[in-house]
Amino acid sequence: MIEVLRDLKRRGQPIVMVTAYDYNSAVACEVGGADVVLVGDSAAMTMLGYASTRLVSLDEMLMLTRAARRGLERALLVGDLPYGTYEASNELALATARRFIEAGCDAVKLEGGREDRVARVRALTSAGIEVMGHVGLTPQSTGVGEAFRVQGKTASQALEVLAEAKALETAGVFAIVFEAIPGEVTELLMPHIEAPVIGIGAGPAADGQVLVFDDLVGLTAGKPAKFVKRYAELREEMARAVSAYAEDVRAKQFPTVSNAYAVDAAELDALRAKLSSQA
Ligand code: KIV
């Protein structure tokens, strides 16, 4: 896995990563040619309707992960360790990460690059589990109802992002997500980082890009974040389809003969005869 992404970075070929949370979204990522699929804890908000990524449980994440696994053949699958399931100790992080590997992940991702998180990464990589880091905006550090904020806007904050990325790199991460960092800052930091950097709201200088599936296909409600590019408007399309179906059913336009199963006329006659003899 490390080699595939390192090779893409070496060749200057941008890495394509997308989140997926179930069988259908994973198939779309596979067929669409994503290199990496992340079962992100953004599932909390996109799939499950929670107000924060902090609220998704480990069992919920594992169920979504197994579904995504069934839709993938070639793309690498990364599972996002949810809030509260890895921070407290290396043992807890290992137990949680192993459950994601059992669910079919090739690697796990965890948020943050301070000392304790670096220790968790070291424990996981020493146990042979591949880890993706995540610095800059880390949504799990954002409380329920708090706004997500751009990171690395001052020189000292930007150096902090770099220090965290370097510490994660030394601990053995195979790639690092940079979230919500000004593009020019990413550009300045890139030459100092060897591991592939995958950006979301971090400008074009990163080695690859990741988007949340629901943002990309237009399933997310409301105005998208500045860094999002929508490639479809599926939320509107889905509501339009259900509304057209509802209209058809109410107008008795569905189902028609073409939607119904046929039956032999002789069998129908026999049924009629039996029903009338019973009456
Ligand atoms: O949970 C998620 O979707 C993520 C991506 C934004 C990288 O962590």
Side-chain angles (χ1 to χ4, degrees):
M1 165 178 307
I2 293 167
E3 269 323 301
V4 174
L5 297 196
R6 287 230 170 108
D7 190 45
L8 287 171
K9 175 171 175 133
R10 230 181 339 258
R11 289 190 280 123
Q13 193 169 321
I15 297 161
V16 178
M17 176 160 135
V18 190
T19 68
Y21 314 107
D22 61 7
Y23 175 76
N24 278 329
S25 53
V27 168
C29 292
E30 176 78 28
V31 173
D35 300 307
V36 186
V37 169
L38 169 71
V39 182
D41 64 354
S42 50
M45 300 166 91
T46 57
M47 288 294 287
L48 303 175
Y50 290 128
S52 162
T53 62
R54 285 187 177 187
L55 301 174
V56 68
S57 71
L58 176 57
D59 283 343
E60 287 167 331
M61 284 296 292
L62 290 172
M63 193 266 280
L64 300 175
T65 301
R66 286 187 209 100
R69 174 76 272 166
R70 289 179 208 114
L72 296 178
E73 284 174 21
R74 171 201 43 80
L76 305 173
L77 181 62
V78 181
D80 214 0
L81 304 188
Y83 181 71
T85 69
Y86 65 95
E87 302 90 331
S89 68
N90 291 347
E91 292 68 30
L92 181 63
L94 265 169
T96 303
R98 284 196 174 114
R99 295 199 62 195
F100 275 90
I101 301 299
E102 282 159 17
C105 285
D106 300 300
V108 297
K109 175 170 86 58
L110 59 80
E111 290 190 5
R114 300 242 163 105
E115 220 172 294
D116 60 323
R117 301 304 154 83
V118 173
R120 304 296 166 262
V121 170
R122 204 171 289 115
L124 296 182
T125 54
S126 306
I129 296 174
E130 294 191 2
V131 184
M132 178 178 277
H134 184 156
V135 298
L137 171 65
T138 50
Q140 290 176 10
S141 318
T142 310
V144 179
E146 283 173 29
F148 292 146
R149 295 200 187 290
V150 179
Q151 304 292 304
K153 285 181 86 170
T154 65
S156 70
Q157 279 175 6
L159 287 173
E160 226 170 273
V161 170
L162 178 61
E164 291 188 1
K166 295 296 295 172
L168 290 169
E169 191 172 83
T170 306
V173 296
F174 70 94
I176 306 173
V177 169
F178 263 38
E179 180 164 357
I181 294 170
E184 285 159 307
V185 170
T186 303
E187 196 178 344
L188 285 175
L189 301 188
M190 285 304 292
H192 301 274
I193 302 168
E194 273 174 43
V197 171
I198 302 174
I200 176 161
D207 299 305
Q209 300 292 327
V210 53
L211 275 183
V212 165
F213 183 84
D214 292 47
D215 290 342
L216 185 163
V217 301
L219 277 172
T220 320
K223 192 170 175 284
K226 188 180 168 66
F227 61 81
V228 169
K229 182 169 176 185
R230 279 187 174 161
Y231 290 84
E233 294 294 344
L234 294 195
R235 192 180 178 87
E236 278 169 22
E237 185 59 13
M238 282 164 52
R240 191 206 55 74
V242 174
S243 151
Y245 160 72
E247 222 171 88
D248 268 3
V249 170
R250 290 186 182 118
K252 302 192 176 175
Q253 298 292 313
F254 175 85
T256 63
V257 176
S258 65
N259 307 114
Y261 296 112
V263 60
D264 199 78
E267 290 299 330
L268 272 186
D269 285 344
L271 177 60
R272 274 190 205 101
K274 286 210 163 118
L275 288 172
S276 58
S277 71
Q278 277 173 15

